[in-house]
């Protein structure tokens, strides 16, 4: 996040340069110039030579300061560092600014200003005293936003002034940095999942119990292999020492479906239903990645993150870390879509076993509820959080809406579906979903069970 730069230099000479220098006169400088001109006129009318000298001095002083300041060439390098560069909504980030005087001459008084969007707070301004040759100054300020998004910081501006305060000129750097404000993430409690990451859990035990001697794929012996893994039947068949391959641990899958339809949500702001769904999706993604699942983010438009690779899911640990950052960056800027249905997401899901499916849904009509119900057939288990915009518009304690009816339709199709009242914590709903799943007993065998909610 370091962006060294150099203030832009104005054009040399010409009417444009003269206008730039005169435009930099402060109120004090303009007052001196006006007083000098008035004194000179009065001296000419009255024939007072002493008054004429005073008038010329008052008029020339701001002009000389403007020309000298305009001709000054400070070689100053600036850098900016964000700590951290990706911050959850409602949290603070600190911006560190550093100014280096790379010239052989000391600078005068410098006024430093950084441009920031209004949602991050007021523009920070600093006054830097004389910076010696080869010296540097470091300052910092804090930014905070309750709204997720990507916000540019910069460019950095330097305001130069003369010792008398007659003139001020602005020099700008050309570089800027970006602060990414991601959705709030809640720490979710662990629940009993099958097919956990790296093969641990009930799903792995069942898969190993079903594996027989004929399922082993041997390879040639390598120096250092454990002799207990020698496969004697293959050794006799091929005439060379063969060993069993290392058992590849099974990695469970999880798809987080986020409904972004504009017709499915009403209202805006950090306390709206859509922002709750975005924050819930981020919390579920982080939780599943921490549990070791291969995770992807899917929207109603059919777009998936981290993308359509070999299987569209995050894989190994390093890839999971990169995918987590990519998904958080995507959720930071995600907005309502123009679509009216969830059929594109269903087309992606019906490609095969999707493991666990966690959906955050907005308003559903009967047709879209039927589409979501069919998604259950393509997952090992499915959990849905249904947000009713009508209830959210009424606030806490509002009357039940159509969301309860749609949630019941999903339950009849095998979903673990919960309606989301305004202001409810996802942590509490996560526990309720686990309790509802346990109370309902084993889910019907409508699809594959690997990676599902146990």
């Amino acid at each position: 996040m370091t962006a060294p730069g150099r203030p832009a230099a104005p054009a040399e000479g010409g009417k444009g340069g003269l206008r730039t220098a005169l435009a930099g006169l402060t109120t004090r400088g303009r007052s001196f110039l006006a007083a000098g001109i008035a004194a000179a006129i009065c001296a000419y009318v009255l024939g007072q030579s002493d008054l004429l000298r005073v008038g010329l001095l008052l008029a020339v002083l701001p002009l000389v300061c403007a020309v000298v300041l305009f001709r000054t060439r400070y070689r100053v390098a600036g850098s900016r560092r964000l700590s951290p560069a990706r911050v959850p909504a409602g949290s603070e980030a600190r911006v560190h600014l550093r100014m280096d005087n790379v010239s052989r001459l000391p600078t005068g008084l410098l006024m430093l200003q950084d441009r920031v969007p209004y949602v991050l707070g007021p523009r920070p301004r600093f006054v830097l005293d004389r910076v010696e040759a080869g010296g540097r100054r470091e300052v910092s300020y804090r930014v905070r936003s309750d709204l997720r998004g990507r916000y540019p910081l910069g460019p950095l501006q330097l305001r130069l002034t003369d010792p008398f305060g007659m003139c001020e000129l602005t020099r700008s750097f050309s570089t800027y940095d970006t602060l990414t404000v991601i959705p709030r993430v809640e720490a979710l409690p662990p629940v009993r999942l099958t097919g956990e990451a790296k093969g641990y859990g009930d799903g792995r035990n069942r898969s190993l119990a079903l594996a027989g001697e004929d399922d082993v794929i041997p390879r040639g012996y390598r120096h250092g292999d454990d002799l207990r893994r020698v496969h004697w039947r293959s050794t006799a068949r091929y005439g060379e020492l063969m060993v069993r391959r290392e058992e590849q641990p099974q990695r469970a899958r999880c798809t987080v479906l986020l409904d972004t339809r504009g017709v499915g949500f009403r209202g805006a702001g950090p306390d709206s239903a859509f922002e709750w769904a975005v924050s819930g999706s981020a919390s579920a993604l982080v939780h599943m990645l921490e549990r070791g699942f291969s995770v992807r983010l899917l929207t109603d438009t059919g777009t998936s993150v981290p993308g359509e690779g070999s299987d569209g899911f995050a894989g190994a640990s390093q890839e999971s870390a990169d995918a987590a950052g990519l998904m958080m960056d995507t959720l930071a800027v995600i907005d309502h879509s123009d679509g009216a249905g969830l059929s594109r997401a269903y087309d992606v899901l019906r490609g095969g076993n999707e493991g666990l499916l966690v959906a955050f849904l907005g308003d559903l009509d009967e047709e879209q509820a039927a589409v979501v119900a069919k998604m259950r057939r393509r997952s090992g288990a499915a959990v849905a959080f249904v947000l009713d915009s009508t209830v959210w518009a009424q606030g806490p304690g509002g009357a039940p809406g159509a969301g309860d009816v749609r949630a019941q339709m999903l339950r009849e199709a095998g979903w673990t579906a919960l309606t989301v009242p305004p202001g409810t914590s996802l942590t509490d709903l996560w526990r309720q979903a686990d309790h509802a799943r346990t109370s309902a007993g084993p889910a019907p065998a409508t699809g594959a069970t690997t990676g599902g909610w146990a």
Side-chain angles (χ1 to χ4, degrees), residues 148-206:
R148 56 185 175 82
R150 293 174 61 88
Y151 301 102
L153 301 178
L156 196 62
Q157 290 184 335
L158 281 177
R159 298 178 63 185
L160 312 178
T161 182
D162 64 282
F164 302 102
M166 298 289 182
C167 184
E168 290 181 356
L169 294 181
T170 301
R171 301 289 188 266
S172 296
F173 291 82
S174 59
T175 57
Y176 66 93
D177 294 295
T178 301
L179 175 67
T180 303
V181 180
I182 62 177
R184 295 184 179 92
V185 175
E186 296 185 38
L188 302 181
V191 295
R192 184 172 177 269
L193 303 172
T194 60
E196 291 188 359
K198 301 181 180 178
Y200 297 109
D202 297 338
R204 178 179 183 271
N205 294 334
R206 286 195 297 267

Side-chain angles (χ1 to χ4, degrees), residues 104-441:
R104 297 181 180 180
L105 298 176
T107 68
L109 188 66
L110 301 178
M111 287 179 286
L112 188 64
Q113 175 180 280
D114 204 9
R115 291 185 178 181
V116 300
Y118 71 95
V119 295
L120 298 181
R123 289 186 177 181
R125 294 179 175 89
F126 305 93
V127 177
L128 303 181
D129 294 332
R130 176 178 177 273
V131 182
E132 64 279 4
R136 68 183 182 185
R137 298 289 186 271
E138 295 184 2
V139 293
S140 64
Y141 64 93
R142 295 178 296 179
V143 291
R144 179 181 181 274
S145 175
D146 293 328
L147 300 176
R148 56 185 175 82
R150 293 174 61 88
Y151 301 102
L153 301 178
L156 196 62
Q157 290 184 335
L158 281 177
R159 298 178 63 185
L160 312 178
T161 182
D162 64 282
F164 302 102
M166 298 289 182
C167 184
E168 290 181 356
L169 294 181
T170 301
R171 301 289 188 266
S172 296
F173 291 82
S174 59
T175 57
Y176 66 93
D177 294 295
T178 301
L179 175 67
T180 303
V181 180
I182 62 177
R184 295 184 179 92
V185 175
E186 296 185 38
L188 302 181
V191 295
R192 184 172 177 269
L193 303 172
T194 60
E196 291 188 359
K198 301 181 180 178
Y200 297 109
D202 297 338
R204 178 179 183 271
N205 294 334
R206 286 195 297 267
S207 64
L208 293 181
L210 295 176
E213 188 73 13
D214 295 334
D215 297 323
V216 177
I217 303 177
R219 61 168 175 82
Y221 176 83
R222 298 173 184 171
H223 179 72
D225 286 338
D226 192 348
L227 294 178
R228 290 175 295 182
R229 293 196 295 112
V230 174
H231 193 251
W232 299 108
R233 180 180 300 180
S234 299
T235 299
R237 178 183 302 176
Y238 294 105
E240 61 177 320
L241 199 60
M242 306 292 291
V243 297
R244 298 182 181 88
R245 289 181 180 271
E246 293 285 353
E247 294 171 348
Q248 299 297 326
Q250 184 179 2
R251 191 176 179 88
R253 291 180 173 183
C254 176
T255 298
V256 176
L257 172 62
L258 175 60
D259 182 6
T260 64
R261 296 172 300 128
V263 297
F265 296 92
R266 301 175 187 174
D271 297 327
S272 63
F274 181 68
E275 293 300 323
W276 192 98
V278 174
S279 178
S281 299
S283 302
L285 289 168
V286 172
H287 177 72
M288 289 302 174
L289 284 171
E290 290 177 349
R291 296 293 302 273
F293 276 67
S294 294
V295 180
R296 71 172 173 181
L297 171 66
L298 179 65
T299 66
D300 58 289
T301 61
T303 304
S304 62
V305 181
E308 299 299 336
S310 57
D311 55 4
F313 291 82
S317 58
Q318 182 59 38
E319 184 180 349
S320 298
D322 296 339
L326 179 59
M327 288 185 283
M328 291 299 105
D329 290 344
T330 301
L331 291 176
V333 297
I334 200 168
D335 202 354
H336 294 293
S337 66
D338 298 329
L342 297 163
S343 57
R344 292 183 179 178
Y346 172 71
D347 292 338
V348 175
L349 289 173
R350 69 181 183 181
N353 173 35
E354 301 299 330
L356 175 63
L357 175 60
V358 182
F360 294 85
L361 307 170
D363 295 335
L364 299 174
D365 54 23
E366 187 173 354
E367 179 182 359
Q368 298 307 317
V371 174
V372 176
K374 292 189 295 183
M375 295 180 183
R376 174 65 180 86
R377 306 172 186 173
R378 303 298 177 181
S379 62
V383 182
F385 300 96
V386 183
L387 294 91
D388 192 333
S389 296
T390 303
V391 176
W392 276 74
Q394 297 173 357
D404 293 334
V405 178
R406 306 309 179 200
Q408 182 59 34
M409 292 179 58
L410 298 183
R411 295 188 195 103
E412 294 174 355
W415 282 77
T416 301
L418 297 176
T419 56
V420 181
T424 306
S425 171
L426 178 61
T427 303
D428 298 334
L429 292 176
W430 196 259
R431 292 192 180 96
Q432 293 179 22
D434 182 45
H435 178 71
R437 185 270 312 164
T438 305
S439 301

